[in-house]
Amino acid sequence: MQTARRIYAYLLSGIGLGVLVWGLTLLLTALFEALGLASGPRISDAEQFSRERLTLAAALTAVSLPVWLIHWWLAERAVTAGKVEAAVERSSAVRGLFFALVLGILLAVAFGAAQRLLQAVITAILGPTENVYAPSGDLALFVVTGFAWGYHLSVRLRDWGRGPIEGEGAWLPRSYLYLAVLGGLLSMLSGLSALFDVLRQLVLEPADTSFGTEWWITPLASGVAGTLVGGLIWTGHWWYANRLCADPGWRGASERPARLRLAFYVAAFVILAIATIGFLTTAARPLLEAGFGITQRGGAQLLAAVVGPLLSAAIFGVAWWLHVRWLREENGEGGARAAAAWRLEAYPLALVGLAFGGVALGWLLGLLIDVVLGGGRTLVGGDTWRQQLSDFVPAALLGTGLWLWQWSRVRNRYAAAPAVEAAAATRRATLLLVLAVAVLIAVASLGVVLYRVFGTLFGIELSGDVVSELSTPLGALLMATAVALYHGLALRRDQAMRATAGLEQRQAAPAQAPSSRIGMILVGPPGVAASDVNMVLDRLRAELPDGYRLEGDA
């Protein structure tokens, strides 16, 4: 019954809040227009349009405000200080989910509005452009959603201030915190990457006037806006998360071992590593194209094509290194927690390297098969195979290098403590995931190969070059088979190691025969005191043979 009541109260509160934000945004937009901030290109019947919008805004606000107030009062009444059920209500899953969704949605909407506003301001400062933009709508949206976000954040902080919050009520809003950290980080890094790319074009590439002489204003403003707004969100939320971890009280004790914090680090490692390898691959491609004679870029053009991706790779690579360093500092150098954090660093990065290297090597194996068997990719002439080499060789080298680096660390740790590493859940999950994906790729590739082979045997006329069509799935099949065999053998070895360790533990445990028990009740004659009954028990204990005992109160 309590859960149903919570769902009703928070669902209606959320719906009422959403409609109220919409109505207030329309009202503020009209107010800002009256102050001189136009909302866009002028229309023929501006007065009629303004009246209709005000009517809609008033109706939305009038309907949603009482709905939100009533149901939010019901939700807040249950957590009033002094109530017996207040602690249970603050830790409820429904309240935790409500705060996670409301804070996340409001922040995302406010972020978009703030980014567009800042981009417009920077664009206006740098010079005139042909883009027609008026900030009234975004300014109103930012003010309303920002106020609503701040209010709900203050309520959430008040809940924490009244005592510990456990279970779903704690980790669901915590998911908002770390998603906001990750989103702000990626927005900031992407903005920096775009900003450096514009600067690279301005410095290293000849002026391109096909889009106007001021073509750089819009992308530059977009990069600066993304960097500043994303950086503000990342800085604020990351500072708050670290402050919680450093808290000496129960807040820190709850935050430091949180799995969501470790999950954030894993997600950051994976995304940052993928971006770094992707930009490095993009930087290496023009060099190989020039080496193979595919393009005839001059020195300045080649430098311009390489510098931009390298700068982006450096940005994401530094962020990757910083997060690795922070994870290690938080979890120390020894102990079970440090070992778990180390595995969460090494195994996901090994998976990233294997994904890049495996896909690229599989494609290159297919290209090699095409060359050896005289497929169409090499016989028809042109730069097809050279372009494919330029595309996949960097990914193969970088991905394989990352995998070898991380997997060598894994093997060294395994050699030092094989039984411990074989029992680690992270290692087992990694091996099973790789094995499952490799088997699926192998089965799919084999299906493509058999389809073409059986079609030829049954006399079906199939167009296209047989070798070229089969070379890529054959390369994927060979690569997937090799990956599956290697990781499958490692998984089997771990299983044998765990079985041996379990047997040794059972053999080392002292064998204890189960004790034989007979339950009896000693009843004294009427009127006998309890002390007399205890004296009888003491006499019986004194007469027991060796190895026997009489249990009970003396």
Side-chain angles (χ1 to χ4, degrees):
M1 183 64 70
Q2 290 295 325
T3 301
R5 180 192 62 79
R6 293 186 190 114
I7 293 175
Y8 166 77
Y10 288 108
L11 179 61
L12 269 295
S13 296
I15 294 174
L17 177 64
V19 179
L20 181 61
V21 167
W22 183 13
L24 291 176
T25 300
L26 292 177
L27 285 175
L28 270 184
T29 301
L31 175 61
F32 290 147
E33 288 178 10
L35 295 176
L37 298 175
S39 61
R42 299 193 60 82
I43 56 178
S44 57
D45 195 356
E47 184 177 354
Q48 179 67 21
F49 176 76
S50 179
R51 290 178 179 179
E52 291 178 357
R53 186 170 55 187
L54 281 175
T55 302
L56 176 61
L60 292 174
T61 305
V63 170
S64 60
L65 181 59
V67 171
W68 177 73
L69 286 175
I70 292 172
H71 291 88
W72 187 241
W73 173 78
L74 291 174
E76 283 291 273
R77 186 180 64 172
V79 296
T80 303
K83 283 196 171 185
V84 177
E85 68 275 12
V88 177
E89 188 69 24
R90 285 187 291 106
S91 297
S92 68
V94 179
R95 187 173 178 87
L97 180 61
F98 172 81
F99 276 109
L101 291 176
V102 167
L103 289 174
I105 294 173
L106 289 174
L107 181 68
V109 175
F111 166 80
Q115 188 171 2
R116 289 189 295 270
L117 282 170
L118 185 57
Q119 181 177 344
V121 171
I122 296 172
T123 301
I125 293 174
L126 293 178
T129 62
E130 297 180 357
N131 297 329
V132 178
Y133 172 81
S136 57
D138 283 329
L139 182 58
L141 185 61
F142 175 73
V143 170
V144 175
T145 54
F147 179 82
W149 177 84
Y151 169 74
H152 286 86
L153 179 62
S154 67
V155 174
R156 175 65 180 169
L157 294 176
R158 183 210 63 197
D159 285 354
W160 277 110
R162 289 178 176 174
I165 299 177
E166 301 175 349
E168 292 87 350
W171 72 259
L172 283 170
R174 185 181 289 130
S175 64
Y176 151 78
L177 174 63
Y178 287 104
L179 284 174
V181 172
L182 185 61
L185 173 66
L186 296 179
S187 175
M188 179 181 66
L189 296 179
S190 300
L192 281 173
S193 177
L195 180 61
F196 284 137
D197 188 64
V198 174
L199 295 176
R200 171 192 63 84
Q201 295 181 57
L202 289 173
V203 174
L204 297 177
E205 291 188 356
D208 185 2
T209 58
S210 58
F211 298 98
T213 57
E214 310 296 338
W215 63 268
W216 53 272
I217 292 180
T218 298
L220 184 66
S222 176
V224 173
T227 301
L228 293 179
V229 178
L232 181 62
I233 292 176
W234 173 75
T235 302
H237 287 80
W238 188 236
W239 170 82
Y240 180 72
N242 289 332
R243 180 186 173 191
L244 291 181
C245 286
D247 187 278
W250 58 266
R251 290 294 306 272
S254 172
E255 192 70 23
R256 283 188 292 272
R259 294 181 179 179
L260 274 171
R261 188 171 178 88
L262 293 176
F264 159 75
Y265 276 115
V266 173
F269 292 159
V270 170
I271 295 174
L272 295 173
I274 291 174
T276 303
I277 294 178
F279 282 119
L280 289 175
T281 301
T282 304
R285 185 180 298 119
L287 296 175
L288 291 178
E289 289 175 349
F292 289 138
I294 299 175
T295 60
Q296 301 298 326
R297 287 191 180 99
Q301 291 180 332
L302 185 59
L303 180 63
V306 172
V307 166
L310 277 180
L311 289 175
S312 298
I315 294 169
F316 283 88
V318 169
W320 173 12
W321 172 77
L322 284 175
H323 284 79
V324 169
R325 178 182 174 183
W326 292 335
L327 177 64
R328 293 176 180 176
E329 290 177 351
E330 285 182 15
N331 295 277
E333 297 295 334
R337 182 172 176 81
W342 183 91
R343 295 187 191 102
L344 290 176
E345 172 197 338
Y347 284 99
L349 291 177
L351 286 177
V352 172
L354 183 61
F356 272 96
V359 171
L361 287 175
W363 192 278
L364 292 176
L365 279 175
L367 184 61
L368 178 62
I369 293 173
D370 193 87
V371 171
V372 172
L373 299 181
R377 281 189 281 183
T378 54
L379 290 181
V380 297
D383 297 321
T384 302
W385 66 274
R386 294 184 179 89
Q387 185 62 58
Q388 291 181 4
L389 283 177
S390 302
D391 292 338
F392 289 98
V393 165
L397 293 176
L398 293 169
T400 305
L402 177 60
W403 180 79
L404 289 174
W405 172 29
Q406 297 299 326
W407 202 250
S408 64
R409 300 174 63 205
V410 168
R411 287 178 59 85
N412 292 336
R413 196 175 186 93
Y414 186 90
V420 175
E421 290 303 311
T426 305
R427 178 182 174 86
R428 188 158 62 250
T430 301
L431 294 176
L432 288 172
L433 177 62
V434 173
L435 185 61
V437 173
V439 169
L440 289 176
I441 294 175
V443 170
S445 302
L446 183 60
V448 174
V449 173
L450 292 180
Y451 170 78
R452 186 63 192 243
V453 172
F454 288 153
T456 303
L457 292 178
F458 295 153
I460 300 176
E461 294 184 2
L462 299 173
S463 60
D465 181 31
V466 176
V467 174
S468 292
E469 291 185 3
L470 292 182
S471 59
T472 299
L474 280 174
L477 176 61
L478 292 174
M479 191 64 204
T481 303
V483 170
L485 286 175
Y486 178 81
H487 290 82
L489 291 175
L491 183 63
R492 183 178 180 182
R493 184 172 60 251
D494 289 355
Q495 291 174 343
M497 182 73 67
R498 290 194 298 271
T500 302
L503 179 61
E504 292 176 352
Q505 290 178 357
R506 289 192 297 269
Q507 291 176 348
Q512 295 182 355
S515 301
S516 299
R517 291 173 176 267
I518 298 177
M520 302 180 68
I521 300 176
L522 179 63
V523 181
V528 175
S531 59
D532 296 333
V533 176
N534 288 332
M535 291 176 61
V536 175
L537 282 173
D538 292 338
R539 293 175 184 174
L540 290 174
R541 290 191 179 96
E543 299 296 330
L544 290 174
D546 293 340
Y548 288 81
R549 68 180 184 273
L550 185 63
E551 297 179 353
D553 295 335

